[in-house]
Amino acid sequence: MTSTLRQAALADLDNLRGRHPAVFATPHGQRALIIGGVAVLLALACYGFWRLEFSFARVGTGLSQLAHIVGMMMPPSPGNRLPVFLWALAETVAIALLGTLTAAVLAFPVGFLAAKNIVPNVFAHFVVRRFLDTIRGVDVLIWALIFINVVGLGPFAGILAIAVSDFGAFGKLFSEAIETADRKPAEGVVSTGGAHLHVVRFALVPQVLPLMASQVLYFFESNTRSATIIGIVGAGGIGLHLAEQIRVLEWDKVSFLILMILVTVAVIDWISTRLRLAIIGRSSMVV
Amino acid sequence: MQLDAVPPWSPPSTLYGFPVMTGAVVRLPPEQVRQAQAAYRSAVAAKRLRTGLGVVLLIVALWLAGIAGEVDLAKFFANIHRLPDYVLNLAPPLTWANLGGDIASWFWNIETWLRLLVDTLLIAYLGTLLGAIGAFVLCFCSTANLEKRRWVRVASRRFLEFCRTVPEIVFALLFVVAFGLGPMPGVLAIAIHTVGALGKLFAEVVENIDMKPVEGATATGANRVTTIRFSVLPQVLSGFTSYTLLRFEINVRGAAVMGFVGAGGIGQDLMEAIRKFYYTDVSAILVLIIATVMIIDLATERVRHALIGMEQAR
């Protein structure tokens, strides 16, 4: 069948060309743009590879080293340190839970301040939004190092680091949820004689609270992953043991720790998804 | 509040100065009112019970977490002055009289830091580029509409999940041991994490395409690569580019901390400054990092808005 179609099309080629000139014309301008773009990307990549001292020899030896390491990682085994690792895992989940909740509680009022419909002042809105973006722009590991300097090593620095770095994210998300809330319940409250605070309590909060709870649960899962790595700089949790075992080249313990991290994140992901489904239902889940 | 005692209601004669039409409101018979109130009360009670249970569980979880996280509130409030002290220490000694000179001495090492920032941006760029290429190759194997073999789908999805879930820093630590110190392990760590993250996003874009051009290409006898090139790519390229730019912005933040484990970039200097208590250096480098992230944020947002506009105009 295809050969019959192809033969018929080839026989009629001149007619087709006349009827659909745009399909058969060579797109010179578009092609030049695409080739130019790809050339720029490639040139930048080559410059990057040169400047960052990539070399095939290094990649080769590195890959063989990596294969050797992965071989030593199997089978994963905790040795005699299982209780220590399990306690560190509990610490990690505790850091994530307390950090996320602190950030949510602190960001709740700030979300209202950053929302255009609560605080119509454009200047205040801009300032608060930029302040939250600044906090978000600094990675959680940097906050962990700073808080270690303030409160010392240990999980408390980790809780504060996660709380502060999430405060920025929650402030922005909460304010967006408030700005996109439905106006009709607010008008209902005003029509029965409610003041501004009544509008917030009875018309706005019941709408945005499920959305906020859903976002907090989503970030709880993401923060469990962050909590596992801030231990690498000393802020408590399982990251400390991970960095330590890598430094002493105990690869089977390293793979066991990575496995523990993966399982924990998967469990927290499952819990968080179930709770989010229960709170806001499948149709409204965005992430 | 006594729900049973409904006070007798008589309509007001004026409402906001306008006369009210009396007798225009229908009143329910008292039996129905009582039934409705009972149903409302039981619904509210059930919801309150669920919320109360949730709050109790949360408090128990918080208490356990407090034990595991070594939370000592007395110690916290005794030492809480250290945080504003630290922030004040970070502030550089700027004076109005000698503003230019003070800023110059605040950023005394600006050439080295700018060089390291360029390194950081290049690490993020190369990592994102390699990751995007890898994700592009893998994403078509993990979509239900383009890949009919179930084992290929499951295998590629699990692989992408693994790349995504293991934190970048863990990959960086392993690669530093295997490849040595320097920016190369940082690039590879970011690339692998990006393969996972972008692979999932690309797969979602591909799963939402219109299948009709694919069917058309298959009907004319095109093989898999040709089908993808002519019927899938024109639909998904702008979505792919948008997600790649978003990922680049996230990776700039990640590349800034790669230096904490020796994988290149400005993180190394930042960690040194924090650990050695060089307060003004810490604030200078933080200002540089925040400014870079903001600029990249704005630039990628512009390009992404242009791409979304182009997509909607199709």
Side-chain angles (χ1 to χ4, degrees), chain B residues 42 45 56 62 87 106 131 137 173 179 185 208 213 234 251 268 289 306 312:
Chain B
S42 64
V56 164
L62 281 178
V87 174
W106 183 25
V137 165
L173 276 171
F179 293 88
N208 287 328
N251 283 343
Q268 185 98 40
I289 293 180
Q312 284 173 346

Side-chain angles (χ1 to χ4, degrees), chain A residues 218-281:
Chain A
Y218 175 70
F219 269 84
F220 177 47
E221 187 247 323
S222 159
N223 285 340
T224 313
R225 248 178 290 150
S226 301
T228 56
I229 62 176
I230 55 178
I232 291 177
V233 295
I238 209 167
L240 189 62
H241 295 283
L242 188 59
E244 189 185 313
Q245 297 304 323
I246 291 182
R247 243 168 247 150
V248 299
L249 306 178
E250 292 270 345
W251 295 115
D252 50 354
K253 297 203 177 71
V254 169
S255 58
F256 185 79
L257 282 168
I258 294 182
L259 215 62
M260 273 171 74
I261 293 177
L262 289 177
V263 166
T264 312
V265 170
V267 165
I268 303 260
D269 190 13
W270 182 79
I271 295 178
S272 140
T273 311
R274 293 301 302 271
L275 280 175
R276 277 160 67 215
L277 272 177
I279 291 180
I280 66 173

Side-chain angles (χ1 to χ4, degrees), chain A residues 34 143 231:
Chain A
I34 293 177
W143 285 120

